[in-house]
Amino acid sequence: MDNVTRPRILVVGAGFAGVGCVRRLERRLAAAEADVTLVTPYSYQLYLPLLPQVASGVLTPQSIALSLRRSRRYRTRIIPGDAVGVDLKSKVCVIRTITDEIVDERYDYIVLAPGSVTRTFDIPGLTDNAFGMKTLAEAAYIRDHVISQLDLADASHDPAERASRLQFVVVGGGYAGTETAACLQLLTHNAVKRYPRLDQNLIKWHLIDIAPKLMPELGDKLGLSAQEVLRKRGIEISLGVSVAKAGPEEVTFTDGRVVPTRTLIWTAGVVASPLIATLGAETVRGRLAVEAELNLPGDDGVFALGDAAAVPDVAKGEDGAVCPPTAQHAMRQGKVVADNVIATLRGQSMRPYVHKDLGLVVDLGGTDAVSKPLGIPLRGLPAQAVARGYHWGALRTGVAKARVLTNWTLNAVAGDDFVRTGLQARRAANLKDFDHTDRYLTPEQVRARVEENGPETA
C-alpha cells in the first residue's frame, strides 16, 4: 500500500490527550495501515500540573517538557505550527506554521485535542498588565519577574515603589491559582532572607477569587485546611472578589480596594481553544459536543477530546454530566480515541470512554499539601507524598521521571536558587504576548480559503 492510498490520520495538539493518542496509534497500527501526523507549535508534551513548581524554581523547565523527538522508533510526522481552522466538509485543516506560513493539510481522520487557553474577561487593562500561567514560557517568565521585583525593590529609594514591588496578586482560587500563590510565596519568603535591606513584612501575597470557596472540589474540610495553611504563611485570601481594573502599578478589586502592585497573575480558569469555533459545530460552554465514543455526531472520522471537548461523563451516571478538563481524563481519553480511530479504520465497533475520577492532589510547596485520593482526605506530609507520587508516576518517560526526582531531591537538600535568566532584559511581556488567540481564522475565512485552493490534486 503506497503513500497515496494510505489513510491519513491528523492529530491536533500535543497535550496529554494528543500525545496519548499518537503513541497508542503508533503501537497498535501497522506502518502500512495509515500515516499519522501531529500538529503542534512545540515538539514536546508539557506536564502542565507542575508549572507552579517551574515558576518557583523547584523544577527546571526542561524537566516537565517531554520531548517528542527523543526516540527514533516513533514514526509520526510532526508539523510545527498551530491549527487555526478546520473545514469538516472538505476535510482540510488550515495550519499556521512557526514561520507564519499558512498551509492546508488534508486528512481522512482527524483527532482534535488542541487544549485550552486562558479565560479572560473584558476587564480594563487585564491583558496588557496581567501574566498567565498556562505555558512553559509564562512560568519561566514569572519566575524572572518575581525575582526582578525583589532586586528592583532592594535598589529603590522610593518607599512607595518598594512597597508596590513587594505586593503580588494571584487571581483564581482553583488548583492552578492556589498552587501558584503557595509556591511563589515560599520563593519570596526564602529569597528575601538574602536581601538585608528589605523588610520581610512588606512582602504581601493576595489570592482572590470570585467564587465563595477555595477549590470547592476538595470539599469543605480540605478546602478550609488549604486556606489555613496559606493564611499561616501570610497570604491574604479574598473570596467573592475579582479584578475591576488592572494597571501597570496597581490593581483595583471589585470590592473597591486598590492594591499597589507590579505583579498580577491571572489563573481564573480556561476556555477551549479558539480552533473549536472555526468548525461551526455544536458546543457546550465553548467545548465541542461529542458522543461517549469521543466522535463528533454526524461527521465520520472526526474525534475530539481533552479540554476542547465536552465528553459525557458516563461513570457519573448523570444526564448532561461532562468530564472535567483534568490531566487524568485527558490521558485516558487519548488511549480510547486511538482505539476508536483504529476501530473505525478497520470497520469494527467503537467503545465509550468510561473513567471514574481517582481524586485530587494539591501541592502547596514545602511539606504542605492537601489530597483526596479515592475520596480519602489527607493533609501535610502524607498528602505531599501522594501528590508527588501521582505526578511522578504520570510522567510519560523515564528521563522525565529522573529529572523531576533529581530536582525535588536537590531542592530539598540545597534549597532554592534565586537566579534571573534575563528574560526581562529587553521588555516586559504579558497575557496577550503568550496567548496568541488572534492567530485563528473565522469559519468564513476557512471556507473561503478551501474554495480558493480548489480540490486536492495530489
Side-chain angles (χ1 to χ4, degrees), residues 15 87 282 307-308:
D87 187 294
E282 181 186 352
D307 291 7

Side-chain angles (χ1 to χ4, degrees), residues 15-17 45-50 175 306-307 324-334 353 355 357-361 390-391 394:
F16 292 106
Q45 176 195 354
L46 177 63
Y47 192 83
L48 199 63
L50 291 178
Y175 308 113
D307 291 7
T326 61
Q328 64 173 289
H329 279 292
M331 286 189 288
R332 290 164 177 83
Q333 288 169 7
Y353 171 73
H355 170 65
D357 202 300
L358 298 177
L360 306 164
V361 295
Y390 173 80
H391 289 315

Side-chain angles (χ1 to χ4, degrees), residues 99-265:
T99 59
D100 218 30
E101 179 187 5
I102 296 182
V103 298
D104 296 340
E105 184 71 19
R106 297 185 180 274
Y107 63 85
D108 297 297
Y109 302 89
I110 188 168
V111 177
L112 297 167
S116 56
V117 296
T118 302
R119 179 181 62 182
T120 58
F121 300 96
D122 190 17
I123 297 172
L126 178 64
T127 57
D128 290 322
N129 297 295
F131 306 105
M133 179 59 80
K134 194 74 174 63
T135 67
L136 195 61
E138 286 175 314
Y141 187 89
I142 284 174
R143 173 175 168 78
D144 255 27
H145 171 80
V146 169
I147 296 175
S148 293
Q149 298 314 297
L150 299 179
D151 288 342
L152 292 167
D154 186 57
S156 176
H157 299 289
D158 182 353
E161 179 191 352
R162 179 177 292 184
S164 71
R165 291 194 183 280
L166 296 179
Q167 288 209 72
F168 306 88
V169 178
V170 178
V171 184
Y175 308 113
T178 302
E179 290 186 333
T180 296
C183 291
L184 286 173
Q185 185 275 335
L186 272 185
L187 173 69
T188 56
H189 174 77
N190 294 329
V192 76
K193 298 171 185 177
R194 306 293 194 272
Y195 295 83
R197 295 180 64 244
L198 294 182
D199 181 358
Q200 185 162 335
N201 294 322
L202 287 177
I203 297 182
K204 295 180 181 178
W205 280 87
H206 302 264
L207 175 61
I208 71 172
D209 193 85
I210 196 65
K213 295 180 181 179
L214 201 67
M215 298 179 294
E217 297 88 348
L218 283 174
D220 290 342
K221 288 186 178 180
L222 281 183
L224 290 173
S225 294
Q227 287 190 48
E228 183 181 353
V229 168
L230 299 182
R231 282 181 170 140
K232 281 184 177 178
R233 291 192 194 168
I235 298 176
E236 183 178 323
I237 300 172
S238 300
L239 300 175
V241 176
S242 189
V243 172
K245 184 171 64 174
E249 297 183 7
E250 65 179 27
V251 173
T252 303
F253 293 168
T254 52
D255 61 5
R257 282 181 292 162
V258 178
V259 176
T261 182
R262 311 295 178 96
T263 308
L264 172 61
I265 302 173

